[in-house]
Structure formats: C-alpha cells, structure tokens
Amino acid sequence: MSLDFVVLGADNAPERTVSLGVDLHKALLVATALQNTQEMQKFHDYYEDVEIGTDVLPALLQDAAILRDRVDYVELSDFLGEFMTLVNFAISQGKALHALAD
C-alpha cells in the first residue's frame, strides 16, 4: 500500500504519479514537524485522501523545497525532488494535486 500523489487527467485517471510508502511517510511527518512546514502537514494521515487546490500549490512547493534542503535522509530527499517535479507539473497545467490512499 502506498500514498499516491497524483495530477489527474481529463478523464480523472492519474496523469502523473509519485508514490510514498508508509516508512517514508513517517520520516516525512517527522521532518515536517521539525521544520514546521504547514502545507506538507496536510498529508499527516496516510489513509486519508487530500486535494490541494491550485491556489495552495506554490506554498506547498516552497515547503517541499525547504524540507529537501534540510533533510539528511537520502530516500526522503529523493522523494521530495520527485514530489516537487509533480507539483511544478500541476502548477504548469493549472490542476489540483491529489493525495490518494491506495
């Protein structure tokens, strides 16, 4: 099971996806709490679907960049890089970002 971050296409099927496993999710939660990155904390529940509207995506991208610059955990840093690419894609397409519990 994973928490999938997706940008949906016109048919509501995932257009682009970045997945996060449960152990990495725990590491993300610790990092977000330590750095007080409010937008990233919206993903606190691994089993809850979340939609992030286009108006919030720039702040979410900023939070992810802060975390990526400050974490020492390579796997988390790699995830954050992929996540940032996904958020940039969502911004460029004018689409929301969804976190879907798989």
Side-chain angles (χ1 to χ4, degrees):
M1 177 169 196
S2 63
L3 181 62
D4 296 332
F5 296 92
V6 301
V7 175
L8 299 176
D11 58 357
N12 281 334
E15 190 171 339
R16 294 209 182 163
T17 304
V18 174
S19 296
L20 180 67
V22 69
D23 291 335
L24 206 49
H25 180 260
K26 289 176 186 175
L28 178 64
L29 290 181
V30 170
T32 59
L34 290 172
Q35 299 301 323
N36 196 28
T37 50
Q38 296 294 319
E39 298 306 325
M40 292 297 291
Q41 290 177 16
K42 292 178 180 179
F43 307 118
H44 70 279
D45 189 340
Y46 189 74
Y47 302 101
E48 180 181 339
D49 293 347
V50 178
E51 180 178 348
I52 305 296
T54 57
D55 58 325
V56 180
L57 292 177
L60 181 64
L61 184 62
Q62 183 178 6
D63 276 5
I66 289 168
L67 288 175
R68 186 170 183 224
D69 289 345
R70 296 181 182 172
V71 298
D72 293 330
Y73 187 21
V74 174
E75 288 84 359
L76 183 55
S77 180
D78 290 347
F79 163 77
L80 289 165
E82 293 174 20
F83 180 80
M84 290 169 60
T85 299
L86 183 66
V87 174
N88 273 318
F89 175 76
I91 291 170
S92 74
Q93 299 298 306
K95 295 181 177 181
L97 179 76
H98 299 265
L100 304 175
D102 184 13

